[in-house]
């Protein structure tokens, strides 16, 4: 498991659990798992327990989002101790979902007593798949990408294909993509994660995880300097201070972006390389693909698979 810690002067503690998830058809396997993960885990099988725990810990309701190449689970809390209470339970839902027959029937697909096709996921996509935005996006994507690319398929699923999805396929999909070594947990404003103070649960959940702290003093600036030197390989027309000035401007711009909207910033700055590091042939989970990976150089390696 990879853990990235971002220190920011925000009163809100947030956690983003990211799993690279690819599609090979329009059955919506990533979307189905997103729904089922939030329904209960083997250690916390009661549906709604996670949401109730979040509510009791001054936190916004847990949520999940399916994208073309990754699935993201989010939680926001007003206190560090609250995050320490919720995160281990949330991770258990992600890594050990119950995936029961009744959950699959309710969340994914079934016929009701009148013979109508139902299911939370099925109904969601039925309301969207004939919209202009959906048709435009997925028809263009299918033309731009070849059939082996995940973006050529509807990650949310299409109703005609969701109807053929089975629980066994969902279980196999979870086994393939939801390995702990593929998971990235991004924490914001959790500066004491390794202090040992009231954070035993988080530390226990992150056993054998490599923890990287972003944006500590001079860390971000030095990375930007290295990247700018690599890109330009020049003294900027003889000005020995131009490189530092450019670095400061870029650093301030990105810092302001992160402070304004940390979730969007993390999504744009980190996720592309989280996906690339897990999905590229021969990458073995290392950050060596993509310009952002070079710029931030966050992780040297992932933990070895058991």
């Amino acid at each position: 498991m990879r853990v990235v810690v971002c220190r920011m002067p925000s009163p809100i503690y947030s956690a983003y659990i990211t799993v690279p998830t690819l599609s090979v058809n329009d059955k919506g396997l990533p979307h189905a798992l997103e729904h089922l993960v939030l329904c209960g885990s083997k250690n916390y099988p009661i549906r709604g327990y996670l949401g109730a725990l979040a509510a009791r810990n001054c936190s916004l309701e847990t949520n999940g989002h399916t994208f073309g190449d990754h699935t993201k689970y989010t939680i926001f809390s007003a206190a560090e101790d609250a995050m320490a209470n919720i995160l281990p339970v949330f991770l258990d839902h992600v890594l050990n979902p119950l995936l029961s027959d009744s959950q699959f029937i309710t969340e994914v697909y079934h016929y009701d007593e009148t013979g109508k096709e139902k299911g939370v996921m099925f109904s969601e996509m039925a309301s969207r798949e004939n919209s202009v935005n959906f048709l435009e996006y997925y028809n263009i994507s299918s033309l731009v990408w070849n059939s082996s690319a995940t973006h050529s398929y509807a990650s949310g699923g299409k109703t005609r294909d969701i109807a053929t999805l089975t629980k066994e396929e969902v279980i196999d999909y979870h086994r393939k993509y939801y390995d702990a070594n593929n998971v990235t947990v991004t924490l914001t404003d959790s500066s004491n994660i390794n202090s040992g103070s009231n954070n035993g649960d988080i530390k226990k959940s992150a056993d054998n995880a490599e923890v990287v702290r972003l944006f500590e003093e001079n860390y971000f600036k030095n990375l930007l300097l290295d990247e700018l030197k690599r890109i330009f390989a020049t003294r900027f027309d003889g000005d020995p201070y131009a490189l530092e000035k450019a670095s400061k401007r870029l650093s301030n711009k990105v810092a302001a972006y992160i402070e304004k909207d940390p979730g969007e910033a993390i999504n744009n700055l980190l996720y592309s390389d989280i996906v690339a590091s897990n999905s590229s042939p021969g990458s073995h989970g290392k950050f060596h693909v993509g310009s952002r990976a070079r710029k931030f150089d966050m992780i040297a390696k992932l933990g070895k698979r058991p």
Side-chain angles (χ1 to χ4, degrees):
M1 183 183 297
R2 180 195 296 117
V3 180
V4 178
V5 180
C6 302
R7 292 179 177 176
M8 283 180 282
S10 169
I12 302 299
Y13 290 79
S14 61
Y16 304 83
I17 304 172
T18 309
V19 186
T21 49
L22 308 182
S23 298
V24 295
N25 53 47
D26 290 319
K27 292 185 177 183
L29 278 162
H31 192 192
L33 257 180
E34 177 221 311
H35 278 256
L36 294 170
V37 157
L38 299 173
C39 290
S41 70
K42 293 177 181 177
N43 292 315
Y44 305 94
I46 299 176
R47 184 188 180 98
Y49 176 83
L50 182 61
L53 179 66
R56 291 183 61 185
N57 281 274
C58 304
S59 303
L60 293 178
E61 186 177 0
T62 53
N63 206 350
H65 310 272
T66 303
F67 299 90
D69 51 17
H70 70 276
T71 303
K72 176 177 66 176
Y73 300 93
T74 59
I75 182 69
F76 304 93
S77 179
E80 186 176 9
D81 288 347
M83 183 63 73
N85 291 334
I86 301 166
L87 187 56
V89 179
F90 205 169
L91 284 171
D92 191 67
H93 279 64
V94 172
L95 297 174
N96 302 298
L98 198 58
L99 302 180
S100 67
D101 290 336
S102 60
Q103 290 174 350
F104 181 85
I105 290 171
T106 301
E107 291 294 324
V108 181
Y109 182 76
H110 66 276
Y111 285 98
D112 68 9
E113 66 277 5
T114 65
K116 292 183 178 180
E117 294 176 296
K118 294 289 184 177
V120 177
M121 172 185 162
F122 180 89
S123 298
E124 176 187 341
M125 298 313 300
S127 67
R128 292 171 52 190
E129 68 179 7
N130 290 315
S131 67
V132 172
N133 289 340
F134 185 96
L135 291 171
E136 179 183 36
Y137 179 83
Y138 284 107
N139 277 286
I140 291 175
S141 295
S142 64
L143 294 172
V144 171
W145 301 92
N146 63 46
S147 60
S148 63
T150 182
H151 293 289
S152 66
Y153 299 102
S155 59
K158 295 181 179 178
T159 52
R160 67 172 185 271
D161 297 289
I162 294 172
T164 68
L165 185 60
T166 66
K167 190 189 77 170
E168 288 68 30
E169 288 178 287
V170 175
I171 293 173
D172 289 341
Y173 190 85
H174 182 274
R175 186 180 296 115
K176 180 177 181 179
Y177 289 101
Y178 278 65
D179 184 284
N181 290 303
N182 292 338
V183 175
T184 297
V185 181
T186 306
L187 300 171
T188 65
D189 220 41
S190 299
S191 58
N192 296 319
I193 189 171
N194 285 328
S195 68
S197 174
N198 299 320
N199 282 313
D201 288 338
I202 287 184
K203 289 180 68 179
K204 183 178 179 181
S205 297
D207 280 349
N208 300 319
E210 187 164 359
V211 179
V212 172
R213 297 186 179 278
L214 299 184
F215 315 122
E216 291 183 341
E217 187 176 1
N218 294 325
Y219 177 77
F220 190 46
K221 175 183 174 182
N222 290 337
L223 285 179
L224 287 170
L225 280 169
D226 290 342
E227 179 67 7
L228 287 168
K229 288 177 182 177
R230 184 187 71 81
I231 293 174
F232 295 103
T234 177
R235 291 170 65 91
F236 288 88
D237 298 325
D239 183 354
Y241 302 105
L243 185 64
E244 185 173 352
K245 292 176 184 176
S247 172
K248 186 175 181 179
R249 287 195 299 269
L250 183 56
S251 180
N252 290 339
K253 181 178 180 180
V254 175
Y257 178 29
I258 292 169
E259 185 174 356
K260 179 181 178 181
D261 193 335
E264 182 182 351
I266 290 169
N267 181 76
N268 291 335
L269 296 175
L270 308 185
Y271 285 169
S272 61
D273 285 323
I274 289 173
V275 173
S277 69
N278 285 275
S279 305
S280 300
S283 65
H284 305 295
K286 295 183 179 180
F287 273 125
H288 70 275
V289 178
S291 60
R292 295 187 183 92
R294 286 196 62 122
K295 183 177 292 186
F296 294 96
D297 192 27
M298 293 184 301
I299 303 292
K301 61 182 179 180
L302 285 172
K304 294 182 179 178
R305 291 176 179 270

